[in-house]
Structures are given as C-alpha cells and as structure tokens.
Amino acid sequence: MQVIIVRGKEEMGRRAAALIAEQMRRRPHFVLGLATGSSPLPMYQEWIRMNKAGELDFSTTITFNLDEYVGLPPTHEQSYRHFMNANLFDHVNIAKAATHVPDGMAADPEAFCEAYEAMIDDVGGIDYQVLGIGSNGHIAFNEPGSSLASRTRVVNLTQRTIKDNSRFFARVEDVPTRAISMGIGTILEAERIVMLTYGANKADAVAKALEGPVTATVPGSALQLHPKVTWVIVEDAATKLKLEWRR
Ligand code: F6R
C-alpha cells in the first residue's frame, strides 16, 4: 500500500485529484467509483478547478457511486444523488446519463442491487474507486461485521448511524433506516483505490485499517488485500500510525 501523509485537506484533495487525473487522461470512457461525505470534497473541488481550466475532461467519464439511502428520491437534499450533483456533476462537463447512483426508490431494491453490479461489469469494472472511512472503520455502508466478500446489497443502518444522521432531518422518523451499498467484495474488484481521510476523529480507524489485522470488524482493513491502494491522509488522522510510512 502506498501511504501519502499531507499537511492539510486542500493538499489531500490536490494529491488525490492528480493521481486519478493521470490515469483518466490515459483512457477514454474511464470508470470512476465515487463516494459522498466530507472526505472527497477537497478532491471534487480540485477536479472542478481542473475541468474549468481545461486540464481535465469528464465528457466520456462514467461514474458509479458507492451508496444511497433507501426511500429518498433523488431530489431530496439529503440524498446522495443530490449531493453528487451539487458537489461535482453540476460543475464539470460530465454527461449526467453516465453518472450512476444507486436508486433509493427502486420498487425492488434487491433486484436493483444485482442490476447495479451487472451495469458495472458491462462497462468493464471500476478503474479507480474513491473511498472515505468512518470513525468506526466502515467503508461505504459496510458497517463492522460486514462480510469481506459482500456484494452490492440492501443494508440496515446501525442505531448509531441513524442517530448521527438525524441532525440532517426534521424528525428522527424521517431518517432512512436502510441503504443500498456496494459490498466490500465489489469495492475490492476496482483496479485502483484511493482512500481519503482527515481529522483526529479518524486516527483510530486509520491505524486499525492500515496496521491492524484484516478483519470484518474493521471493514477498511480489507484494503490490505488489494494490490493498488493509495491512502492520502492528513497528518491529524495519521497520529496513531506506528510503522514508518513517512518518507
Ligand atoms: C460515503 C460513504 C461513507 C463515507 C464515510 C466517511 O459515500 O460511503 O462510507 O465515506 O462515512 O464520511 P466522511 O467523509 O463524511 O467523514
């Protein structure tokens, strides 16, 4: 695994944006796996800058997002589709029809999950997957205990996640209790992976995922099984690492 430790989240965003852009320029119809949340935002801002400056073209890029809440329409401002439009897709020259976010309103969510995997296969798989990690070690909505071989599926959100998310909704009853999430097995099939992380609250999860045993209780540790992973970590999230990653 490659570990890059940087000073701040802007540098994290620039480094990760450049790593992926280098691969995107080599191949038309590049397939990106994307995440929501705060971790990838500095990278999305850098991509938007690069796109406006004519340094990076998204016109033939295809994207698949990791996850979406079940029961939220794409227009809901807490939906991950809304997040992706607002924070990336609306600001670059990507074809919206080539952007895929799991359909939280699918009549048959289980069948949708199978179809989502088939769509990824049909375009030849994900070339570069972007990830963030939860403070409990989760990746996508694969909470601790998720099988390392899991596929895209409907997952129940933990009480902790529901409570954490309730701040974004008017009433706690409005918080979705289920989500569609790519599985850990699905994520590991990407050709390359970049993990973005910052913040002292992530330091334990980063240390366990990078230096602890590979275990389903720390889903991020599954990345140790992948041959081409780059972690771009802001130093405040790297304080609990013990091995000599710094060069
Ligand atoms: C987002 C996702 C989540 C986040 C993780 C970290 O699509 O799948 O696993 O990556 O919860 O979230 P932030 O970046 O907000 O700290």
Side-chain angles (χ1 to χ4, degrees):
M1 280 184 297
Q2 195 190 2
V3 176
I4 301 171
I5 297 173
V6 297
R7 291 253 168 86
K9 56 185 180 175
E10 293 73 24
E11 191 184 346
M12 173 194 78
R14 284 196 301 273
R15 291 292 286 271
L19 279 176
I20 299 178
E22 189 195 335
Q23 297 297 322
M24 284 173 70
R25 291 188 189 107
R26 291 184 186 183
R27 207 183 292 188
H29 306 292
F30 199 80
V31 185
L32 280 174
L34 298 176
T36 60
S38 52
S39 306
L41 283 178
M43 183 182 72
Y44 295 160
Q45 279 153 16
E46 175 66 2
W47 276 348
I48 292 166
R49 187 203 64 72
M50 292 167 96
N51 186 248
K52 292 197 189 310
E55 296 166 20
L56 185 63
D57 177 31
F58 286 87
S59 62
T60 57
T61 305
I62 301 165
T63 69
F64 287 90
N65 262 75
L66 287 169
D67 41 18
E68 178 61 283
Y69 292 115
V70 169
L72 292 194
T75 48
H76 193 291
E77 56 175 39
Q78 293 306 328
S79 75
Y80 286 178
R81 161 56 76 180
H82 183 270
F83 177 99
M84 290 309 302
N85 287 348
N87 290 295
L88 181 64
F89 301 150
D90 285 347
H91 309 288
V92 295
N93 68 332
I94 200 161
K96 279 276 171 62
T99 67
H100 305 88
V101 179
D103 180 2
M105 299 302 284
D108 182 345
E110 276 79 19
F112 177 84
C113 292
E114 269 186 49
Y116 200 65
E117 293 250 346
M119 280 193 278
I120 295 172
D121 282 350
D122 285 350
V123 295
I126 288 172
D127 294 314
Y128 224 129
Q129 177 66 55
V130 176
L131 293 177
I133 192 166
S135 56
N136 65 357
H138 73 221
I139 51 175
F141 268 122
N142 299 290
E143 296 288 2
S146 299
S147 163
L148 300 184
S150 51
R151 310 300 309 183
T152 303
R153 68 205 183 288
V154 178
V155 294
N156 292 318
L157 305 190
T158 61
Q159 282 307 317
R160 177 173 160 186
T161 302
I162 294 170
K163 194 165 161 273
D164 285 354
N165 290 347
S166 63
R167 67 186 190 280
F168 300 119
F169 294 83
R171 301 173 312 159
V172 72
E173 303 85 270
D174 297 336
V175 185
T177 57
R178 297 191 302 157
I180 292 173
S181 177
M182 275 192 207
I184 298 172
T186 321
I187 290 168
L188 292 179
E189 281 171 11
E191 188 175 337
R192 288 186 163 78
I193 297 176
V194 68
M195 167 64 88
L196 300 172
T197 175
Y198 70 86
N201 61 324
K202 299 289 179 71
D204 276 321
V206 167
K208 284 184 188 159
L210 267 168
E211 297 181 353
V214 174
T215 166
T217 57
V218 183
S221 67
L223 301 184
Q224 294 177 37
L225 301 169
H226 193 283
K228 290 181 186 165
V229 181
T230 304
W231 286 70
V232 186
I233 311 172
V234 177
E235 54 192 4
D236 58 359
T239 52
K240 298 200 173 161
L241 292 175
K242 293 201 171 62
L243 301 180
E244 286 182 31
W245 298 105
R246 293 173 180 78
R247 278 173 287 160

